[in-house]
Coordinates of all heavy atoms in Angstrom, one line a residue:
M1 N -11.1 -15.6 -2.2 CA -12.1 -15.4 -3.3 C -13.4 -16.1 -3.0 O -13.4 -17.2 -2.5 CB -11.4 -15.9 -4.6 CG -12.1 -15.3 -5.8 SD -11.5 -16.1 -7.4 CE -9.8 -15.6 -7.4
T2 N -14.5 -15.4 -3.3 CA -15.8 -16.0 -3.1 C -16.2 -16.9 -4.3 O -15.5 -16.9 -5.3 CB -16.9 -14.9 -2.8 OG1 -16.8 -14.0 -3.9 CG2 -16.6 -14.3 -1.5
A3 N -17.3 -17.6 -4.1 CA -17.6 -18.6 -5.1 C -17.9 -18.0 -6.5 O -17.6 -18.6 -7.5 CB -18.9 -19.4 -4.7
D4 N -18.4 -16.8 -6.5 CA -18.7 -16.2 -7.8 C -17.5 -15.4 -8.4 O -17.7 -14.8 -9.4 CB -19.9 -15.2 -7.7 CG -19.6 -14.0 -6.8 OD1 -18.5 -14.0 -6.2 OD2 -20.5 -13.2 -6.6
G5 N -16.4 -15.6 -7.8 CA -15.2 -15.0 -8.3 C -15.0 -13.5 -8.0 O -14.0 -12.9 -8.3
H6 N -16.0 -12.9 -7.3 CA -15.8 -11.5 -6.9 C -15.0 -11.4 -5.6 O -15.2 -12.1 -4.7 CB -17.2 -10.9 -6.6 CG -17.1 -9.5 -6.2 ND1 -17.2 -9.1 -4.8 CD2 -17.0 -8.3 -6.9 CE1 -17.1 -7.8 -4.8 NE2 -17.0 -7.3 -6.0
E7 N -14.0 -10.5 -5.7 CA -13.2 -10.3 -4.5 C -13.4 -8.9 -3.9 O -13.5 -7.9 -4.7 CB -11.7 -10.5 -4.9 CG -11.4 -11.9 -5.3 CD -10.0 -12.0 -5.8 OE1 -9.8 -11.8 -7.0 OE2 -9.1 -12.3 -5.0
S8 N -13.5 -8.8 -2.6 CA -13.7 -7.5 -2.0 C -12.3 -6.9 -1.8 O -11.3 -7.5 -1.8 CB -14.4 -7.7 -0.7 OG -13.5 -8.3 0.3
C9 N -12.4 -5.6 -1.4 CA -11.2 -4.9 -1.2 C -10.4 -5.5 0.0 O -9.2 -5.5 0.0 CB -11.5 -3.4 -0.9 SG -12.1 -2.5 -2.3
A10 N -11.1 -6.0 1.0 CA -10.4 -6.6 2.1 C -9.5 -7.8 1.7 O -8.5 -8.0 2.3 CB -11.4 -7.1 3.1
D11 N -10.0 -8.5 0.6 CA -9.2 -9.6 0.1 C -7.9 -9.1 -0.5 O -6.9 -9.9 -0.6 CB -10.0 -10.4 -1.0 CG -11.2 -11.1 -0.4 OD1 -11.1 -11.6 0.7 OD2 -12.2 -11.1 -1.1
F12 N -7.8 -7.8 -0.9 CA -6.6 -7.4 -1.5 C -5.6 -6.7 -0.5 O -4.4 -6.5 -0.9 CB -7.0 -6.3 -2.6 CG -7.5 -7.0 -3.8 CD1 -8.9 -7.1 -4.0 CD2 -6.7 -7.5 -4.8 CE1 -9.4 -7.7 -5.1 CE2 -7.2 -8.1 -5.9 CZ -8.6 -8.2 -6.1
L13 N -6.0 -6.5 0.7 CA -5.2 -5.7 1.6 C -3.8 -6.4 1.8 O -2.8 -5.9 1.7 CB -5.9 -5.5 2.9 CG -6.9 -4.4 2.9 CD1 -7.6 -4.3 4.3 CD2 -6.3 -3.1 2.6
D14 N -3.9 -7.7 2.2 CA -2.7 -8.5 2.4 C -1.9 -8.6 1.1 O -0.7 -8.5 1.2 CB -3.0 -9.9 2.9 CG -3.5 -9.9 4.4 OD1 -3.3 -8.8 5.1 OD2 -4.1 -10.9 4.8
R15 N -2.6 -8.8 0.0 CA -1.9 -9.0 -1.2 C -1.2 -7.8 -1.7 O -0.2 -7.9 -2.4 CB -2.8 -9.6 -2.3 CG -2.9 -11.1 -2.1 CD -3.8 -11.7 -3.2 NE -5.2 -11.5 -2.9 CZ -6.2 -11.7 -3.8 NH1 -5.9 -12.2 -5.0 NH2 -7.4 -11.5 -3.4
I16 N -1.7 -6.6 -1.4 CA -1.0 -5.4 -1.7 C 0.4 -5.4 -1.0 O 1.4 -5.0 -1.6 CB -1.8 -4.2 -1.3 CG1 -3.0 -4.0 -2.3 CG2 -1.0 -2.9 -1.3 CD1 -4.1 -3.0 -1.8
V17 N 0.4 -5.8 0.2 CA 1.7 -5.9 0.9 C 2.6 -6.9 0.3 O 3.8 -6.7 0.1 CB 1.4 -6.2 2.4 CG1 2.7 -6.3 3.2 CG2 0.6 -5.1 3.1
Y18 N 2.0 -8.1 0.0 CA 2.8 -9.1 -0.6 C 3.4 -8.7 -1.9 O 4.5 -9.0 -2.3 CB 2.0 -10.4 -0.7 CG 1.6 -11.1 0.6 CD1 0.4 -11.7 0.7 CD2 2.5 -11.1 1.6 CE1 0.0 -12.3 1.9 CE2 2.2 -11.7 2.8 CZ 0.9 -12.3 3.0 OH 0.6 -12.9 4.1
L19 N 2.5 -8.0 -2.7 CA 3.0 -7.5 -4.0 C 4.2 -6.6 -3.9 O 5.2 -6.8 -4.6 CB 1.8 -6.7 -4.6 CG 2.2 -5.9 -5.9 CD1 2.4 -6.9 -7.1 CD2 1.0 -5.0 -6.3
L20 N 4.2 -5.7 -2.9 CA 5.3 -4.8 -2.7 C 6.6 -5.6 -2.2 O 7.7 -5.2 -2.4 CB 5.0 -3.7 -1.7 CG 4.0 -2.7 -2.3 CD1 3.3 -1.9 -1.2 CD2 4.8 -1.7 -3.2
D21 N 6.3 -6.7 -1.5 CA 7.4 -7.6 -1.1 C 7.9 -8.6 -2.1 O 8.7 -9.4 -1.9 CB 7.1 -8.3 0.2 CG 7.0 -7.4 1.4 OD1 7.7 -6.3 1.3 OD2 6.4 -7.7 2.4
N22 N 7.2 -8.5 -3.3 CA 7.5 -9.5 -4.4 C 7.3 -10.9 -4.0 O 8.1 -11.8 -4.3 CB 9.0 -9.3 -4.9 CG 9.1 -8.0 -5.6 OD1 8.3 -7.6 -6.4 ND2 10.2 -7.3 -5.3
E23 N 6.2 -11.1 -3.2 CA 5.9 -12.5 -2.7 C 4.7 -13.1 -3.4 O 4.2 -14.1 -3.0 CB 5.7 -12.4 -1.2 CG 7.0 -12.2 -0.4 CD 6.8 -12.1 1.1 OE1 5.6 -12.4 1.5 OE2 7.7 -11.7 1.8
L24 N 4.3 -12.5 -4.5 CA 3.1 -13.0 -5.3 C 3.6 -13.7 -6.6 O 4.6 -13.2 -7.1 CB 2.1 -11.9 -5.6 CG 1.4 -11.3 -4.4 CD1 0.4 -10.2 -4.9 CD2 0.7 -12.3 -3.5
D25 N 2.9 -14.7 -7.0 CA 3.2 -15.2 -8.3 C 2.6 -14.4 -9.4 O 1.8 -13.4 -9.1 CB 2.8 -16.7 -8.5 CG 1.3 -16.9 -8.3 OD1 0.5 -16.0 -8.8 OD2 0.9 -18.0 -7.8
A26 N 2.9 -14.6 -10.6 CA 2.6 -13.7 -11.7 C 1.0 -13.6 -11.9 O 0.6 -12.5 -12.1 CB 3.1 -14.2 -13.1
T27 N 0.3 -14.7 -11.6 CA -1.2 -14.6 -11.7 C -1.7 -13.7 -10.7 O -2.6 -12.8 -11.0 CB -1.8 -16.0 -11.6 OG1 -1.1 -16.9 -12.4 CG2 -3.2 -16.0 -11.9
E28 N -1.2 -13.8 -9.5 CA -1.7 -12.9 -8.4 C -1.3 -11.5 -8.6 O -2.1 -10.6 -8.4 CB -1.1 -13.4 -7.0 CG -1.6 -14.7 -6.5 CD -2.9 -14.5 -5.7 OE1 -3.9 -14.1 -6.3 OE2 -2.9 -14.8 -4.5
V29 N -0.1 -11.2 -9.1 CA 0.3 -9.9 -9.4 C -0.7 -9.3 -10.4 O -1.1 -8.1 -10.2 CB 1.7 -9.9 -9.9 CG1 2.1 -8.5 -10.5 CG2 2.7 -10.2 -8.8
A30 N -1.0 -10.0 -11.4 CA -1.9 -9.5 -12.4 C -3.3 -9.2 -11.8 O -3.9 -8.1 -12.1 CB -2.1 -10.5 -13.6
N31 N -3.8 -10.1 -11.0 CA -5.1 -9.8 -10.3 C -5.1 -8.6 -9.5 O -6.0 -7.8 -9.5 CB -5.5 -11.0 -9.4 CG -6.0 -12.2 -10.2 OD1 -6.5 -12.0 -11.3 ND2 -5.9 -13.4 -9.7
V32 N -4.0 -8.4 -8.7 CA -4.0 -7.3 -7.8 C -3.9 -6.0 -8.6 O -4.5 -5.0 -8.3 CB -2.8 -7.4 -6.8 CG1 -2.7 -6.1 -6.0 CG2 -3.0 -8.6 -5.9
K33 N -3.1 -6.0 -9.7 CA -2.9 -4.8 -10.5 C -4.2 -4.4 -11.2 O -4.5 -3.2 -11.3 CB -1.7 -5.0 -11.5 CG -0.4 -5.0 -10.8 CD 0.8 -4.8 -11.7 CE 2.1 -4.6 -10.9 NZ 3.3 -4.7 -11.6
I34 N -4.9 -5.4 -11.7 CA -6.2 -5.1 -12.3 C -7.1 -4.4 -11.3 O -7.8 -3.4 -11.6 CB -6.9 -6.4 -12.8 CG1 -6.2 -6.8 -14.1 CG2 -8.4 -6.1 -13.1 CD1 -6.5 -8.3 -14.5
H35 N -7.1 -4.9 -10.0 CA -7.9 -4.3 -9.0 C -7.5 -2.9 -8.7 O -8.3 -1.9 -8.5 CB -8.0 -5.1 -7.7 CG -8.9 -4.6 -6.7 ND1 -10.3 -4.7 -6.8 CD2 -8.6 -3.9 -5.6 CE1 -10.8 -4.1 -5.7 NE2 -9.9 -3.6 -5.0
L36 N -6.2 -2.7 -8.6 CA -5.6 -1.3 -8.3 C -6.0 -0.3 -9.4 O -6.2 0.8 -9.1 CB -4.1 -1.4 -8.1 CG -3.6 -2.2 -6.9 CD1 -2.0 -2.2 -6.9 CD2 -4.1 -1.6 -5.6
D37 N -6.1 -0.8 -10.6 CA -6.5 0.1 -11.7 C -7.9 0.6 -11.5 O -8.2 1.7 -11.9 CB -6.3 -0.6 -13.0 CG -4.9 -0.5 -13.6 OD1 -4.1 0.3 -13.1 OD2 -4.6 -1.2 -14.6
E38 N -8.7 -0.3 -11.0 CA -10.2 0.0 -10.9 C -10.6 0.6 -9.6 O -11.7 1.1 -9.5 CB -10.9 -1.3 -11.1 CG -10.7 -1.9 -12.5 CD -11.3 -3.3 -12.6 OE1 -11.6 -3.9 -11.6 OE2 -11.5 -3.8 -13.8
C39 N -9.8 0.5 -8.6 CA -10.2 0.8 -7.2 C -9.3 1.9 -6.6 O -8.2 1.6 -6.2 CB -10.2 -0.4 -6.4 SG -10.8 -0.2 -4.7
A40 N -9.7 3.1 -6.6 CA -8.9 4.2 -6.1 C -8.5 4.0 -4.6 O -7.3 4.3 -4.2 CB -9.6 5.5 -6.2
P41 N -9.4 3.6 -3.7 CA -9.0 3.4 -2.3 C -7.9 2.4 -2.1 O -6.9 2.6 -1.3 CB -10.3 2.9 -1.6 CG -11.4 3.5 -2.4 CD -10.9 3.4 -3.8
C42 N -8.0 1.3 -2.9 CA -6.9 0.3 -2.8 C -5.6 0.8 -3.4 O -4.5 0.5 -2.9 CB -7.3 -1.0 -3.5 SG -8.5 -2.0 -2.5
F43 N -5.7 1.6 -4.5 CA -4.5 2.2 -5.0 C -3.9 3.1 -4.0 O -2.6 3.1 -3.9 CB -4.8 2.9 -6.4 CG -3.5 3.4 -7.0 CD1 -2.7 2.5 -7.7 CD2 -3.1 4.7 -6.8 CE1 -1.6 3.0 -8.3 CE2 -1.9 5.2 -7.4 CZ -1.2 4.3 -8.1
E44 N -4.7 3.9 -3.3 CA -4.1 4.7 -2.2 C -3.3 3.9 -1.2 O -2.2 4.3 -0.8 CB -5.2 5.5 -1.5 CG -5.7 6.7 -2.3 CD -4.7 7.9 -2.3 OE1 -3.8 7.8 -1.5 OE2 -4.9 8.8 -3.1
R45 N -3.9 2.8 -0.8 CA -3.2 2.0 0.2 C -1.9 1.4 -0.4 O -0.9 1.4 0.3 CB -4.1 0.8 0.6 CG -5.3 1.2 1.5 CD -6.0 0.0 2.0 NE -7.3 0.4 2.5 CZ -8.4 0.2 1.9 NH1 -8.5 -0.5 0.7 NH2 -9.6 0.7 2.3
Y46 N -2.0 1.0 -1.6 CA -0.8 0.5 -2.3 C 0.3 1.6 -2.3 O 1.4 1.4 -2.0 CB -1.2 0.1 -3.7 CG 0.0 -0.2 -4.6 CD1 0.7 -1.3 -4.5 CD2 0.3 0.8 -5.6 CE1 1.8 -1.6 -5.4 CE2 1.4 0.5 -6.5 CZ 2.1 -0.6 -6.4 OH 3.2 -0.8 -7.2
D47 N -0.2 2.8 -2.7 CA 0.7 4.0 -2.8 C 1.4 4.3 -1.4 O 2.6 4.6 -1.3 CB 0.0 5.2 -3.3 CG 0.9 6.1 -4.1 OD1 1.8 5.6 -4.8 OD2 0.7 7.3 -3.9
V48 N 0.5 4.2 -0.3 CA 1.1 4.5 1.0 C 2.1 3.5 1.4 O 3.2 3.8 1.9 CB -0.1 4.5 2.0 CG1 0.4 4.5 3.5 CG2 -1.0 5.7 1.8
Q49 N 1.8 2.2 1.2 CA 2.7 1.1 1.5 C 4.0 1.3 0.7 O 5.1 1.1 1.3 CB 2.1 -0.2 1.2 CG 0.9 -0.6 2.0 CD 1.2 -0.8 3.5 OE1 2.3 -1.2 3.8 NE2 0.2 -0.6 4.3
R50 N 3.9 1.6 -0.6 CA 5.1 1.8 -1.4 C 5.9 3.0 -0.9 O 7.1 2.9 -0.9 CB 4.6 2.0 -2.8 CG 5.8 1.9 -3.8 CD 5.3 2.1 -5.3 NE 4.5 3.4 -5.4 CZ 3.9 3.8 -6.5 NH1 4.0 3.1 -7.6 NH2 3.2 4.9 -6.5
T51 N 5.2 4.1 -0.5 CA 5.9 5.2 0.0 C 6.7 4.9 1.2 O 7.9 5.3 1.4 CB 4.9 6.4 0.3 OG1 4.3 6.7 -0.9 CG2 5.7 7.6 0.8
I52 N 6.1 4.2 2.1 CA 6.7 3.8 3.4 C 8.0 2.9 3.1 O 9.1 3.2 3.6 CB 5.8 3.0 4.3 CG1 4.7 3.9 4.8 CG2 6.5 2.3 5.5 CD1 3.5 3.2 5.5
K53 N 7.8 2.0 2.2 CA 9.0 1.1 1.8 C 10.1 2.0 1.2 O 11.3 1.7 1.5 CB 8.5 0.1 0.8 CG 7.8 -1.1 1.4 CD 7.6 -2.2 0.4 CE 8.7 -3.2 0.4 NZ 8.8 -4.0 1.5
M54 N 9.7 2.9 0.4 CA 10.8 3.8 -0.2 C 11.5 4.6 0.9 O 12.7 4.8 0.9 CB 10.1 4.7 -1.2 CG 10.1 4.2 -2.6 SD 9.0 5.0 -3.8 CE 9.1 6.7 -3.1
I55 N 10.7 5.2 1.8 CA 11.3 6.0 2.9 C 12.2 5.1 3.7 O 13.4 5.5 4.1 CB 10.2 6.6 3.8 CG1 9.4 7.7 3.0 CG2 10.8 7.2 5.0 CD1 8.2 8.2 3.7
V56 N 11.8 3.9 4.1 CA 12.6 3.0 4.9 C 13.8 2.6 4.2 O 14.9 2.6 4.7 CB 11.7 1.8 5.3 CG1 12.6 0.7 5.9 CG2 10.6 2.1 6.2
A57 N 13.7 2.3 2.9 CA 14.9 1.9 2.1 C 15.9 3.0 2.0 O 17.1 2.8 2.2 CB 14.5 1.4 0.7
R58 N 15.4 4.2 1.8 CA 16.3 5.4 1.6 C 16.9 5.7 3.0 O 18.0 6.3 3.0 CB 15.4 6.6 1.1 CG 16.3 7.6 0.5 CD 15.4 8.8 0.1 NE 14.3 8.5 -0.8 CZ 13.1 9.0 -0.7 NH1 12.7 9.9 0.2 NH2 12.1 8.7 -1.6
S59 N 16.3 5.4 4.1 CA 16.7 5.8 5.4 C 17.6 4.8 6.0 O 18.0 4.9 7.1 CB 15.6 6.1 6.3 OG 14.8 7.1 5.7
C60 N 17.9 3.7 5.3 CA 18.7 2.6 5.9 C 20.1 3.1 6.4 O 20.6 2.6 7.4 CB 18.9 1.5 4.9 SG 17.6 0.3 4.9
T61 N 20.6 4.1 5.7 CA 21.9 4.6 6.0 C 21.9 5.7 7.1 O 22.9 6.1 7.6 CB 22.6 5.2 4.8 OG1 21.8 6.1 4.2 CG2 23.0 4.0 3.8
E62 N 20.6 6.2 7.4 CA 20.5 7.2 8.4 C 20.3 6.6 9.8 O 19.6 5.6 9.9 CB 19.2 8.1 8.1 CG 19.4 8.9 6.9 CD 18.1 9.6 6.5 OE1 17.2 9.7 7.4 OE2 17.9 10.1 5.4
A63 N 20.9 7.2 10.8 CA 20.9 6.6 12.1 C 19.9 7.4 13.0 O 20.1 7.9 14.0 CB 22.3 6.7 12.8
A64 N 18.6 7.5 12.4 CA 17.6 8.2 13.1 C 16.2 7.5 13.0 O 15.3 8.1 12.3 CB 17.5 9.7 12.6
P65 N 16.1 6.4 13.6 CA 14.8 5.6 13.4 C 13.6 6.4 13.9 O 12.5 6.3 13.4 CB 15.0 4.3 14.1 CG 16.3 4.5 14.9 CD 17.1 5.6 14.3
D66 N 13.8 7.2 15.0 CA 12.7 7.9 15.6 C 12.2 9.0 14.6 O 11.0 9.1 14.3 CB 13.0 8.6 16.9 CG 13.1 7.5 18.0 OD1 12.6 6.4 17.8 OD2 13.8 7.8 19.0
A67 N 13.1 9.7 14.0 CA 12.8 10.7 13.0 C 12.1 10.1 11.8 O 11.2 10.6 11.2 CB 14.0 11.5 12.5
L68 N 12.6 8.9 11.4 CA 11.9 8.2 10.3 C 10.5 7.8 10.6 O 9.6 8.1 9.8 CB 12.7 6.9 10.0 CG 12.1 5.9 9.1 CD1 11.9 6.4 7.7 CD2 12.8 4.6 9.1
R69 N 10.3 7.3 11.8 CA 8.9 7.0 12.2 C 8.0 8.2 12.1 O 6.9 8.1 11.7 CB 8.9 6.3 13.6 CG 9.0 4.8 13.5 CD 8.6 4.2 14.9 NE 9.5 4.5 15.9 CZ 10.6 3.8 16.2 NH1 10.9 2.8 15.5 NH2 11.4 4.2 17.2
D70 N 8.5 9.3 12.6 CA 7.8 10.6 12.6 C 7.4 10.9 11.1 O 6.3 11.3 10.8 CB 8.5 11.7 13.2 CG 8.5 11.6 14.8 OD1 7.7 10.8 15.3 OD2 9.3 12.2 15.4
K71 N 8.4 10.8 10.2 CA 8.2 11.2 8.8 C 7.0 10.3 8.3 O 6.2 10.8 7.6 CB 9.4 11.0 8.0 CG 10.3 12.2 7.8 CD 11.4 12.0 6.8 CE 12.6 11.4 7.5 NZ 13.8 11.3 6.5
V72 N 7.1 9.0 8.6 CA 6.1 8.1 8.0 C 4.7 8.4 8.6 O 3.7 8.4 7.9 CB 6.5 6.6 8.4 CG1 5.3 5.7 8.0 CG2 7.8 6.2 7.6
R73 N 4.7 8.7 9.9 CA 3.4 9.0 10.5 C 2.8 10.3 9.9 O 1.6 10.3 9.6 CB 3.6 9.2 12.1 CG 2.3 9.1 12.8 CD 2.5 9.3 14.3 NE 3.6 8.5 14.8 CZ 4.6 9.0 15.5 NH1 4.7 10.3 15.8 NH2 5.6 8.2 16.0
V74 N 3.6 11.3 9.7 CA 3.1 12.6 9.1 C 2.6 12.3 7.7 O 1.5 12.7 7.4 CB 4.2 13.6 9.1 CG1 3.8 14.8 8.2 CG2 4.6 14.1 10.5
R75 N 3.3 11.5 7.0 CA 2.9 11.1 5.6 C 1.5 10.4 5.6 O 0.6 10.7 4.9 CB 4.0 10.3 4.9 CG 3.6 9.8 3.6 CD 3.7 10.8 2.5 NE 3.4 10.3 1.2 CZ 2.5 10.8 0.3 NH1 1.9 11.8 0.6 NH2 2.3 10.2 -0.8
L76 N 1.4 9.5 6.5 CA 0.1 8.7 6.6 C -1.0 9.6 7.0 O -2.1 9.5 6.5 CB 0.3 7.6 7.6 CG 1.1 6.4 7.2 CD1 1.3 5.4 8.3 CD2 0.4 5.7 6.1
Q77 N -0.8 10.6 7.9 CA -1.8 11.5 8.4 C -2.2 12.4 7.2 O -3.4 12.6 7.0 CB -1.3 12.4 9.5 CG -1.4 11.6 10.9 CD -0.6 12.4 11.9 OE1 0.0 13.4 11.7 NE2 -0.8 11.9 13.2
Q78 N -1.3 12.8 6.4 CA -1.6 13.7 5.2 C -2.5 12.9 4.3 O -3.5 13.4 3.8 CB -0.3 14.1 4.5 CG 0.5 15.1 5.2 CD 1.9 15.3 4.6 OE1 2.3 14.5 3.8 NE2 2.5 16.4 4.9
I79 N -2.2 11.6 4.1 CA -2.9 10.8 3.1 C -4.3 10.6 3.7 O -5.3 10.7 3.0 CB -2.2 9.5 2.8 CG1 -1.0 9.9 1.9 CG2 -3.1 8.5 2.1 CD1 0.0 8.8 1.8
S80 N -4.4 10.2 5.0 CA -5.8 9.9 5.5 C -6.6 11.2 5.5 O -7.8 11.1 5.3 CB -5.6 9.3 6.9 OG -5.2 10.3 7.8
V81 N -6.0 12.4 5.7 CA -6.8 13.6 5.6 C -7.3 13.8 4.2 O -8.5 14.1 4.0 CB -5.9 14.8 6.1 CG1 -6.6 16.1 5.7 CG2 -5.7 14.7 7.6
Q82 N -6.4 13.6 3.2 CA -6.8 13.7 1.8 C -8.0 12.8 1.5 O -8.9 13.2 0.8 CB -5.6 13.4 0.9 CG -4.6 14.6 0.8 CD -3.3 14.1 0.2 OE1 -3.2 13.0 -0.3 NE2 -2.3 15.0 0.2
M83 N -7.8 11.6 1.9 CA -8.9 10.6 1.6 C -10.2 11.0 2.3 O -11.3 10.8 1.7 CB -8.5 9.2 2.1 CG -7.4 8.6 1.3 SD -6.8 7.0 1.9 CE -8.1 5.9 1.4
H84 N -10.1 11.5 3.5 CA -11.3 11.9 4.2 C -12.0 13.1 3.5 O -13.2 13.2 3.5 CB -10.9 12.3 5.7 CG -12.1 12.4 6.6 ND1 -12.8 11.4 7.0 CD2 -12.6 13.5 7.2 CE1 -13.8 11.8 7.8 NE2 -13.7 13.1 7.9
E85 N -11.2 14.0 3.0 CA -11.8 15.2 2.4 C -12.3 14.9 1.0 O -13.2 15.6 0.6 CB -10.7 16.3 2.3 CG -10.4 16.9 3.6 CD -9.2 17.9 3.5 OE1 -8.5 17.9 2.5 OE2 -9.0 18.6 4.5
S86 N -11.8 13.9 0.3 CA -12.3 13.7 -1.1 C -13.6 12.9 -1.1 O -14.0 12.4 -0.1 CB -11.2 13.0 -1.8 OG -10.9 11.8 -1.2
Ligands
ZN1 ZN1 -10.4 -2.1 -3.7

């Protein structure tokens, strides 16, 4: 955080990951969620990370890590294309 209390999107990148890993305290969770509400690009990153975690969790019982990686890569490409076009 900078002296005037303003935080840039870069400051939230790590915390978005920590949020999904439940490694933030309640104050930090609130701060990140406020930013996600206000910032579409950061919400997209949050959504991508959450999607990857869901795919990985769902695929734990599948014995196809290469196929999983391909699925994640395709999903990320779709999202980056959408972000680029919008
Ligand atoms: Zn942001």
Side-chain angles (χ1 to χ4, degrees):
M1 199 186 293
T2 51
D4 64 359
H6 179 264
E7 293 174 272
S8 71
C9 290
D11 293 322
F12 283 96
L13 283 176
D14 286 344
R15 275 184 283 171
I16 287 169
V17 176
Y18 292 143
L19 173 68
L20 287 161
D21 286 339
N22 292 316
E23 287 178 11
L24 295 181
D25 63 34
T27 309
E28 290 274 67
V29 169
N31 279 337
V32 175
K33 287 193 170 169
I34 288 167
H35 184 76
L36 292 177
D37 274 350
E38 295 171 342
C39 182
C42 284
F43 184 80
E44 280 287 347
R45 289 191 196 101
Y46 168 78
D47 207 39
V48 170
Q49 296 289 337
R50 190 180 54 180
T51 301
I52 291 169
K53 282 188 86 72
M54 270 165 31
I55 292 170
V56 170
R58 202 186 299 143
S59 302
C60 274
T61 54
E62 293 174 18
D66 287 342
L68 166 65
R69 268 197 292 273
D70 286 345
K71 264 190 274 184
V72 171
R73 198 182 311 125
V74 168
R75 174 78 178 127
L76 284 172
Q77 280 168 352
Q78 286 169 344
I79 288 165
S80 70
V81 167
Q82 283 165 6
M83 288 175 79
H84 192 69
E85 286 173 348
S86 59

